[in-house]
Amino acid sequence: MSELATLNIERGGNGATAQTETYEVPFEAGQSVLDGLRWIRVHKDPTLAFRFSCISANACKECMMRIDDKVVYACLARLEPRDMHIAPLSNKPLIRDLVTEIGPPAERL
Amino acid sequence: MTTTLEPTHLSTDVLIIGAGGAGMYAAIEAAKAGSNVLLADRSLIGRSGATVMAMMTVAVALGSQGPDAPAHHLADTLASGRGLCDERLARMLCEDGPECILELDEWGAGWARENGAIKSAHAPGHDRPRCVYVDFLNTGPAVSKTLRKVLHRHDSVRRVGDMLIVDLIKSKGVVTGAVAIEISTGRPVTIAAKATIIATGGLTRLYRRSSASFNMSGDGYALAMRAGARLIDMEFVQFFPIGHLAPRLIGLDPIMWDPFRYKLGGRLLNGNMEEFTERYGSSEDGRYVITRDAATYAITKEVAAGRGTPSGGAYLSFMHLSAETLNEAFGPVIKKLMANGIDLTKMPIEVSPIAHYHMGGVAVDEQMGTGIPGLYAAGEAVGGANGANRLSGNAITEVLAFGRRAGRSAAASIQNTVDQPEFDPGDAQAALERVQHADPDTRGRSINTAAMIAELQATMSDYVGPFKTEAGLKTALESIADLEDRLGDVPPGQPGAFEPSRIDWFDLRTMLPVARVVTQAALARTESRGAHQREDHPGMLDEWRCNQFVEWEADSPTIVRGPTITTQETAA
């Protein structure tokens, strides 16, 4: 039996009730939390919302979220074979799941 | 909860789709020429696209450190293009490049200098040092930041992020605007524009592993094709030969080994730790001289012959170098590698070809016009300038040269048209209904669009990658047809704030026809040339020294051949 990472993800926003959903993700050494989130979308739930663009190159700075109560980039945080708690930024308006309004006001519609 | 979101309507002179380097330069130029501009990006402004991810160098014949001229740069570009470059565009890239680089210099881009002169590196495929840079790992971000800073000085440019353009709207044969989704709310948006510039970059997202941003789905190709514009050279996808493969690492761009090879050489070895590129006609000798198509070919062949590394690539080794040498060249990166458990003095890393750039794209004239009135293209979205294989360093040059030209042309076209048809909401109705379509029973779980994208990426990587065969390409077409059937005509779920499965549906609506034309064009070209390698048709054939165009008729693409455009001077 291969190791698993257990991701407890705070979901909700935009009228939906906030709740924590738990997903088990196959663990492979060297993966990022972003890799785990992308695995969930393909294999478990395509509706899980999170922002990312550059895919782990540390260029776009879009995947900022709270992992175990620390504000980090999901692409730089290592996935670990244990329970991890993932939540949206607390100081930005919530759009859905892990997506918050991080664009400057002047660059929105 | 089902509420119909009322469309928002916007109106502008010039709509620019994509806020990477080409889009930003086009916006600056159009604004300078007096136009109001709407600069739309599906991600956050200035964070996505390819320019911001470009680490390396910009090819330009400045002649600042020794004799050089655009004609020499052009000769190298044409040679690298293996006979297929549209010479008008290649010439423009080489001739306009220096002005753009100097303009960016005035704007404070901070090009690296030596004794006061802008410094050039010697990249593979060039006859002399010709590639300027800011810092070996930071050129793209610096270019991006500079353009962004200048953009902010222009009040007539409205920047809107989180906006996905899903269709161009035509009235009386003229592109008059677009229909979009505001991703953060799910609200439909209609846009009236007197001119539209496609600056959406390439199609690297069609593949499993790529070096560009996630959102480069070929959006602009699908938009242009559906609006009736022609695409060119779609079979030519460039793979970057030494993309990082293993061990897994985080926080570093997968093309990071390029600067290492520029500075330190390094040894490219097979699974038996032997040098191998000379078997395929390109010697290595510890220096970085091998062109991208040749290196991709050599690595892929070596893996196919059973001499690959454990993860299925080649080794890149710097073990012959001392820790001091490595630290001196790349101190901060060496530290990051150590944090990832990689000690370059003790172990080689594994590399393999990774989707990097697309030579093909929207066919344009010298003014960046697509032939459809009101529609222009710029940057990587343009096809033809780089032929069958792009020369190192030409990507940012084309971003700048073509972005600038497209911005000027679009602004000028507005002055010239008196009775151009205006945006007619009736022509946008079908596109609007698709965006507003709601299926109240599901929240986008009726089909797994994320899994479908992964399936498409697997198909393209396995059958339409660096090496192709007739059988493989036909398998790919079957798989694409199957995905098209499953996608259906309407998106799953209902409009809402940041609905990823719905956004993926619109992306598949873009990616599938683009994947189809790449595959069809590759199947039709029964030879091997540059980045297009057919195992069943090795060797370059004279009869194939021509371009293939995609024409869109009755909702489906057709591939037609056309002569390669040469200019009088080089034809003589």
Side-chain angles (χ1 to χ4, degrees):
Chain A
M1 180 76 192
S2 54
E3 285 185 295
L4 296 172
T6 306
L7 300 185
N8 302 290
I9 302 175
E10 276 186 31
R11 298 193 61 180
N14 202 253
T17 322
Q19 54 182 354
T20 301
E21 286 189 34
T22 300
Y23 302 90
E24 293 198 317
V25 176
F27 171 76
E28 191 189 318
Q31 273 180 305
S32 66
V33 171
L34 181 65
D35 293 330
L37 294 173
R38 293 175 64 211
W39 187 92
I40 292 170
R41 286 211 58 231
V42 172
H43 296 95
K44 300 283 181 188
D45 187 349
T47 70
L48 177 65
F50 49 95
R51 282 185 194 274
F52 71 102
S53 174
C54 77
I55 318 185
S56 305
N58 195 18
C60 74
K61 318 287 187 190
E62 288 200 22
C63 63
M64 201 191 284
M65 55 186 73
R66 277 186 302 146
I67 299 178
D68 296 331
D69 281 329
K70 275 193 199 135
V71 173
V72 293
Y73 296 117
C75 73
L76 294 186
R78 279 192 188 284
L79 192 69
E80 291 171 28
R82 61 174 176 86
D83 263 62
M84 300 185 85
H85 188 259
I86 303 178
L89 295 176
S90 53
N91 61 342
K92 302 277 182 191
L94 178 62
I95 294 178
R96 185 188 296 285
D97 298 344
L98 302 171
V99 178
T100 49
E101 187 55 272
I102 55 172
E107 296 183 346
R108 297 178 208 156
L109 205 56
Chain B
M1 186 193 70
T2 308
T3 49
T4 308
L5 292 163
E6 283 308 309
T8 301
H9 183 71
L10 304 172
S11 187
T12 185
D13 291 335
V14 180
L15 166 65
I16 300 175
I17 308 171
M24 289 196 282
Y25 214 148
I28 292 166
E29 282 300 319
K32 273 194 201 164
S35 290
N36 286 311
V37 177
L38 177 63
L39 178 61
D41 196 285
R42 56 176 301 166
S43 289
L44 302 174
I45 301 288
R47 310 268 193 103
S48 71
T51 303
V52 74
M53 303 264 305
M55 307 168 81
M56 289 303 306
T57 62
V58 187
V60 61
L62 282 180
S64 59
Q65 286 193 306
D68 198 1
H72 303 309
H73 183 190
L74 179 62
D76 286 345
T77 298
L78 298 180
S80 185
R82 315 281 185 239
L84 286 203
C85 295
D86 177 332
E87 289 187 19
R88 300 167 308 166
L89 300 180
R91 180 177 297 277
M92 189 192 304
L93 184 161
C94 299
E95 288 179 353
D96 289 3
E99 269 181 44
C100 297
I101 292 302
L102 294 175
E103 185 161 51
L104 273 161
D105 194 48
E106 280 169 34
W107 288 338
W111 301 116
R113 284 183 138 79
E114 195 170 55
N115 305 323
I118 294 179
K119 190 179 174 183
S120 294
H122 195 162
H126 291 272
D127 68 348
R128 68 195 76 199
R130 182 180 292 132
C131 293
V132 304
Y133 57 94
V134 173
D135 174 330
F136 264 137
L137 290 162
N138 196 36
T139 299
V143 167
S144 200
K145 192 173 157 197
T146 305
L147 290 170
R148 195 166 155 75
K149 181 183 76 186
V150 175
L151 195 61
H152 283 220
R153 295 179 195 151
H154 293 278
D155 292 337
S156 55
V157 179
R158 182 174 182 191
R159 310 180 303 273
V160 181
D162 271 346
M163 189 147 79
L164 178 67
I165 309 283
V166 294
D167 276 297
L168 296 176
I169 302 307
K170 269 167 91 179
S171 302
K172 300 190 180 83
V174 176
V175 171
T176 54
V179 166
I181 302 169
E182 185 190 28
I183 293 177
S184 54
T185 60
R187 186 181 292 282
V189 182
T190 53
I191 303 161
K194 293 173 186 153
T196 298
I197 301 172
I198 289 172
T200 48
L203 48 60
T204 39
R205 192 188 176 197
L206 293 183
Y207 293 86
R208 242 190 237 120
R209 297 170 61 241
S210 97
S211 63
S213 294
F214 150 81
N215 48 28
M216 312 263 292
S217 312
D219 301 24
Y221 304 146
L223 290 171
M225 184 160 58
R226 288 199 170 102
R230 298 205 308 166
L231 307 182
I232 182 174
D233 290 347
M234 293 302 282
E235 66 272 38
F236 292 101
V237 178
Q238 182 172 62
F239 284 78
F240 181 80
I242 51 167
H244 184 80
L245 180 62
R248 287 189 79 128
L249 54 76
I250 55 174
L252 287 164
D253 191 318
I255 61 166
M256 60 173 291
W257 300 114
D258 203 29
F260 272 72
R261 299 217 71 195
Y262 270 96
K263 273 200 183 176
L264 302 170
R267 297 175 70 210
L268 197 58
L269 307 167
N270 67 13
N272 305 326
M273 299 297 278
E274 305 155 346
E275 292 192 343
F276 63 94
T277 55
E278 73 282 358
R279 281 190 197 132
Y280 308 101
S282 309
S283 86
E284 265 276 302
D285 204 20
R287 293 172 309 128
Y288 192 27
V289 292
I290 186 168
T291 57
R292 288 177 180 171
D293 52 354
T296 295
Y297 180 84
I299 294 171
T300 314
K301 283 302 259 191
E302 199 67 3
V303 172
R307 293 187 294 266
T309 58
S311 302
Y315 285 121
L316 180 60
S317 172
F318 299 94
M319 289 191 291
H320 56 293
L321 300 173
S322 69
E324 291 72 41
T325 308
L326 288 164
N327 272 319
E328 199 181 311
F330 290 104
V333 187
I334 298 295
K335 226 181 250 179
K336 275 192 189 177
L337 287 169
M338 284 296 208
N340 278 283
I342 299 171
D343 181 347
L344 292 180
T345 62
K346 294 195 167 61
M347 60 193 277
I349 49 93
E350 292 178 58
V351 294
S352 74
I354 179 172
H356 183 54
Y357 173 87
H358 189 218
M359 272 70 76
V362 183
V364 296
D365 58 27
E366 292 100 318
Q367 303 309 318
M368 300 290 125
T370 63
I372 305 294
L375 187 62
Y376 299 81
E380 186 181 347
V382 167
N386 295 290
N389 180 54
R390 174 173 63 77
L391 186 65
S392 246
N394 270 0
I396 301 283
T397 320
E398 98 180 331
V399 153
L400 303 173
F402 296 173
R404 192 173 73 143
R405 181 70 63 107
R408 286 180 185 174
S409 300
S413 75
I414 290 164
Q415 325 289 327
N416 298 338
T417 47
V418 192
D419 19 273
Q420 186 175 310
E422 295 203 352
F423 178 81
D424 178 349
D427 293 322
Q429 199 52 39
L432 201 53
E433 278 169 14
R434 196 178 298 112
V435 168
Q436 289 173 314
H437 178 84
D439 174 358
D441 298 329
T442 67
R443 224 208 87 200
R445 288 188 176 90
S446 55
I447 50 173
N448 185 335
T449 47
M452 287 169 71
I453 289 177
E455 206 178 314
L456 175 64
Q457 290 167 332
T459 292
M460 294 301 286
S461 305
D462 294 343
Y463 301 113
V464 200
F467 264 96
K468 306 169 184 87
T469 62
E470 180 179 336
L473 292 165
K474 286 184 170 165
T475 304
L477 284 175
E478 280 169 25
S479 163
I480 291 164
D482 176 54
L483 285 161
E484 284 166 344
D485 282 346
R486 283 150 59 197
L487 191 69
D489 297 325
V490 287
Q494 47 193 293
F498 220 106
E499 285 285 13
S501 54
R502 210 169 154 91
I503 298 306
D504 281 350
W505 186 90
F506 280 98
D507 284 344
L508 279 162
R509 184 174 168 263
T510 290
M511 293 165 85
L512 288 172
V514 173
R516 174 174 281 286
V517 299
V518 169
T519 310
Q520 283 180 348
L523 184 60
R525 183 176 284 278
T526 46
E527 65 151 0
S528 292
R529 184 185 294 267
H532 170 79
Q533 293 292 327
R534 285 279 301 262
E535 256 178 296
D536 46 358
H537 294 281
M540 207 151 70
L541 301 177
D542 276 349
E543 69 197 69
W544 271 109
R545 199 184 162 187
C546 61
N547 300 102
Q548 295 192 95
F549 294 88
V550 177
E551 293 178 351
W552 186 259
E553 275 168 32
D555 270 356
S556 76
T558 316
I559 311 284
V560 297
R561 285 200 205 188
T564 296
I565 296 170
T566 51
T567 52
Q568 284 175 340
E569 288 160 70
T570 45

